[in-house]
């Protein structure tokens, strides 16, 4: 069996190689949201990316064990970048898991880093995107607008599935300049509003939660990296899988 992942400290890393065609998925959870990211490389080397989001406090009808409201996001509905009206193809170079998921890609004189994680205590998931220009020539990219992508109905009324972000519609970069964009995926009850939080603050809370669950107690140190890392990430997955459902 081909090995894609390697252990580096408390992280697992997949450095892609030419010809790699592989896909995987990662589930991460907060108190009010669970985020499953499906990611990988296609046969042509481009990024494959989609998500499923679930919100345990939003119950569907009938309200039984399986009544958690959720929605899907694919590459056509998620935040993507365009040049001259065409979607920019992203070619992944590295995938990193440390309790978050980071995807580093290159694309048309741009470096694009996507960082995914669920909110620790909010009803939303987050993606922080960093664009870095790798050319001295000015690069202009546009991105799709925040939107409501679908809706549903449950015990609390009508649910609206929405994507929000804090970026302008057109971004200009040159020679090493960077721009960070925070994207939020949420499900609102009709009539609710969503105030865009600070992406960096949400990330800080996520890493604090990871530290509490992974490093607070029951530390396994066998000297065997595979066993120690597996145990650390298993503690995180078990500890974060407790949800608010009322």
């Amino acid at each position: 069996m081909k090995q894609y992942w390697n252990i580096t400290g408390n992280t697992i890393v997949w450095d892609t190689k030419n010809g790699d065609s592989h896909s995987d998925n990662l589930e991460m959870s907060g108190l009010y949201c669970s985020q499953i990211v499906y990611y990988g490389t296609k046969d042509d080397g481009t990024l494959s990316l989609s998500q499923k989001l679930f919100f345990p406090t939003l119950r569907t009808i009938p309200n039984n064990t399986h009544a958690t409201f959720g929605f899907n996001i694919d590459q056509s509905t998620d935040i993507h970048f365009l040049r001259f009206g065409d979607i920019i193809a992203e070619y992944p170079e590295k995938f990193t898991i440390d309790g978050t998921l980071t995807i580093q890609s290159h694309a048309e004189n741009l470096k694009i880093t996507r960082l995914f994680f669920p909110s620790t205590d909010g009803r939303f998931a987050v993606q922080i995107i960093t664009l870095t220009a790798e050319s001295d020539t000015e690069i202009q990219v546009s991105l799709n607008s925040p939107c409501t992508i679908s809706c549903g109905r449950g015990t609390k009324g009508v649910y609206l599935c929405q994507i929000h972000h804090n970026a302008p519609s057109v971004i200009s970069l040159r020679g090493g300049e960077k721009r960070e964009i925070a994207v939020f995926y949420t499900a609102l009850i009709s009539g609710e509003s969503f105030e865009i939080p600070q992406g960096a603050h949400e990330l800080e809370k996520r890493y604090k939660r990871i530290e509490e669950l992974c490093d607070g107690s029951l530390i396994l140190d066998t000297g065997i990296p595979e066993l120690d890392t597996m145990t650390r990430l298993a503690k995180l997955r078990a500890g974060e899988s407790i949800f608010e459902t009322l």
Side-chain angles (χ1 to χ4, degrees):
M1 180 180 294
K2 185 174 182 179
Q3 178 175 318
Y4 294 95
W5 296 91
N6 292 288
I7 297 172
T8 303
N10 288 326
T11 68
I12 55 176
V13 178
W14 167 22
D15 286 304
T16 64
K17 299 176 176 61
N18 289 336
D20 272 354
S21 178
H22 180 63
S23 61
D24 212 326
N25 66 81
L26 175 67
E27 182 169 6
M28 304 171 283
S29 303
L31 191 60
Y32 297 94
C33 176
S34 196
Q35 178 184 36
I36 306 174
V37 184
Y38 298 84
Y39 60 90
T41 53
K42 301 177 184 178
D43 290 340
D44 62 0
T46 57
L47 176 65
S48 171
L49 182 64
S50 63
Q51 298 183 70
K52 288 184 178 180
L53 300 169
F54 297 94
F55 303 90
T57 55
L58 301 183
R59 313 305 296 168
T60 58
I61 300 171
N63 188 2
N64 56 29
T65 302
H66 308 287
T68 296
F69 180 71
F71 63 93
N72 300 335
I73 301 172
D74 60 24
Q75 283 179 283
S76 65
T77 52
D78 204 351
I79 296 300
H80 49 261
F81 300 97
L82 302 97
R83 290 191 72 189
F84 311 114
D86 296 322
I87 295 178
I88 296 174
E90 300 177 40
Y91 294 85
E93 297 174 337
K94 179 184 290 188
F95 298 84
T96 304
I97 294 174
D98 64 353
T100 68
L101 170 65
T102 300
I103 303 172
Q104 295 172 253
S105 304
H106 67 275
E108 295 189 29
N109 296 320
L110 278 174
K111 179 179 179 181
I112 302 176
T113 301
R114 297 176 177 267
L115 172 62
F116 295 88
F117 60 96
S119 171
T120 300
D121 53 10
R123 200 199 305 146
F124 57 89
V126 186
Q127 179 185 182
I128 296 177
I129 305 172
T130 304
L131 302 176
T132 305
E134 297 185 317
S135 170
D136 291 332
T137 304
E138 183 178 68
I139 299 172
Q140 284 194 341
V141 298
S142 58
L143 67 161
N144 43 326
S145 301
C147 63
T148 297
I149 60 173
S150 64
C151 61
R153 183 177 291 275
T155 60
K156 298 179 181 179
V158 175
Y159 305 147
L160 304 176
C161 310
Q162 297 184 340
I163 300 176
H164 301 261
H165 64 71
N166 61 357
S169 58
V170 177
I171 297 172
S172 297
L173 297 168
R174 70 167 70 233
E177 289 182 340
K178 293 185 179 182
R179 181 64 183 261
E180 187 174 280
I181 303 162
V183 184
F184 303 91
Y185 308 92
T186 188
L188 302 179
I189 301 170
S190 181
E192 287 184 329
S193 59
F194 182 76
E195 184 175 343
I196 294 180
Q198 294 293 321
H201 180 57
E202 292 299 324
L203 181 58
E204 181 181 343
K205 290 194 294 183
R206 175 63 180 172
Y207 278 129
K208 183 178 180 180
R209 181 62 172 154
I210 293 168
E211 183 178 2
E212 289 173 350
L213 292 173
C214 293
D215 303 322
S217 61
L218 297 175
I219 307 301
L220 182 66
D221 185 5
T222 66
I224 303 172
E226 294 84 357
L227 183 58
D228 294 346
T229 304
M230 178 185 70
T231 301
R232 188 175 188 275
L233 294 177
K235 285 168 58 182
L236 173 62
R237 189 70 202 108
E240 68 181 1
S241 298
I242 299 173
F243 303 102
E244 177 58 69
T245 59
L246 297 178

